Amino acid sequence: MVLADVIEVPQSLVQELRQRFEKKCKSEEVKFHPADLARIYDNDLWLTKFLQEKDLNIDEAFTMLWNTCNWRMEFKVNDINADNIRQDYRDLGLYFPHTARDIDGKVLFMFRCKLYERGTKDLDELKRVLVYWIERTLREQNCDLITPVFDMTDCGMSNIDLPYTQYIINTFKSYYPAQINYIIIYDAAWILNATFQIIKKLLPAKAVARLKFLNAKNIREYVDEDNMPVLWKGNNKYEYSWVPEKISLNK
């Protein structure tokens, strides 16, 4: 059963949210990216996700939508592509959508924490690579739910960076509404587990319900044997290597 709350959104609310957005854009003469405006004016899906995330509270949904568009404009999200991010970071395999799926058939979006060592990488460039992979994954999955996985296999204290981990989770929480199925923390040693307990306190109740601390004993409750990576003693033999995106980007 898919954990994410499925909330039926009335068309009237979608239209009201769209009209509020358009009115504020005109009154403040704000010019967001054409691709984001098209998602708002030409399609109901994105607006529906904001309303679902905020349990049909249109004021909160509008605030999140506006903040998201501002962030996307300031971060230049729509201009990020495989050629203008750090190639070595892109090819590293720190983040990537796995071929594996969770028990609900949602793609596992991997964070190979062992490949990150605190203080050794340019965080601004890493953030751009992270956003590239999130955006690409959502395009490839047609905006279906995804399951972020913090794979902490063989990690030590040098591989954990609390502020950066908070940034990753906050990016999903703040700018990608109704997009998460589960958040899996896999194979965290007890001393590292404490890091995520801190983060857990910062999450809303809806996100906490999706947070799963798993190990070799209970991983099968959320990822079956055939989808489990070989690294987790499963049957999925996929290993990350850089492959260009197959779909064309119409920005």
Side-chain angles (χ1 to χ4, degrees):
M1 178 179 179
V2 177
L3 181 62
D5 302 316
V6 179
I7 300 175
E8 193 71 28
V9 179
Q11 179 62 32
S12 59
L13 274 184
V14 173
Q15 188 59 26
E16 183 179 348
L17 182 57
R18 181 179 287 121
Q19 290 171 348
R20 282 198 189 190
F21 181 87
E22 183 176 18
K23 182 178 180 180
K24 186 167 183 176
C25 280
K26 289 180 178 178
S27 66
E28 298 188 9
E29 298 184 346
V30 178
K31 297 186 181 300
F32 292 120
H33 195 282
D36 292 334
L37 293 178
R39 296 170 76 186
I40 292 169
Y41 295 137
D42 302 337
N43 194 302
D44 292 346
L45 177 60
W46 206 30
L47 297 182
T48 297
K49 284 181 172 290
F50 285 98
L51 289 162
Q52 287 175 329
E53 181 69 25
K54 296 303 181 179
D55 298 323
L56 305 185
N57 184 315
I58 193 163
D59 292 330
E60 293 182 3
F62 174 76
T63 298
M64 186 180 187
L65 172 63
W66 191 262
N67 290 343
T68 296
C69 287
N70 268 318
W71 171 75
R72 293 179 67 85
M73 179 174 61
E74 293 167 2
F75 202 81
K76 296 181 170 60
V77 171
N78 289 287
D79 298 323
I80 294 174
N81 61 59
D83 296 324
N84 63 21
I85 55 178
R86 279 278 299 256
Q87 308 292 286
D88 53 337
Y89 292 2
R90 181 198 72 185
D91 299 347
L92 179 62
L94 175 58
Y95 326 103
F96 63 94
H98 207 287
T99 60
R101 305 266 169 170
D102 67 20
I103 56 170
D104 301 318
K106 310 307 178 185
V107 71
L108 302 185
F109 185 89
M110 305 295 290
F111 300 90
R112 289 293 315 284
C113 300
K114 182 184 177 181
L115 301 179
Y116 174 86
E117 188 170 351
R118 188 172 57 252
T120 64
K121 291 180 172 60
D122 184 322
L123 287 183
D124 288 335
E125 291 295 331
L126 266 185
K127 290 174 182 178
R128 295 184 76 248
V129 175
L130 167 68
V131 170
Y132 165 76
W133 276 116
I134 294 174
E135 292 284 314
R136 172 173 169 173
T137 301
L138 295 184
R139 286 192 294 269
E140 292 177 337
Q141 300 301 316
N142 296 316
C143 290
D144 193 11
L145 299 174
I146 64 176
T147 289
V149 178
F150 290 83
D151 182 1
M152 303 182 72
T153 304
D154 298 328
C155 279
M157 289 302 297
S158 65
N159 304 117
I160 300 302
D161 184 338
L162 180 57
Y164 185 57
T165 303
Q166 288 175 313
Y167 173 83
I168 294 171
I169 291 180
N170 188 64
T171 297
F172 277 104
K173 181 184 76 171
S174 300
Y175 309 122
Y176 293 95
Q179 201 58 70
I180 302 302
N181 197 36
Y182 304 106
I183 302 173
I184 293 177
I185 317 300
Y186 182 75
D187 202 24
W190 69 269
I191 194 169
L192 303 179
N193 208 15
T195 298
F196 287 94
Q197 293 298 338
I198 294 172
I199 292 172
K200 184 177 180 180
K201 295 179 181 178
L202 303 176
L203 293 173
K206 187 183 293 187
V208 170
R210 298 189 177 101
L211 192 60
K212 306 298 175 183
F213 293 84
L214 305 178
N215 52 41
K217 294 181 179 179
N218 59 5
I219 184 63
R220 290 168 183 79
E221 296 176 20
Y222 294 92
V223 182
D224 66 33
E225 196 89 17
D226 287 336
N227 278 286
M228 283 170 52
V230 170
L231 186 64
W232 300 354
K233 312 299 183 190
N235 297 330
N236 189 309
K237 297 180 180 180
Y238 174 79
E239 293 185 11
Y240 172 80
S241 62
W242 165 251
V243 176
E245 189 171 4
K246 293 181 181 179
I247 65 172
S248 61
L249 305 181
N250 298 314
K251 302 243 173 144

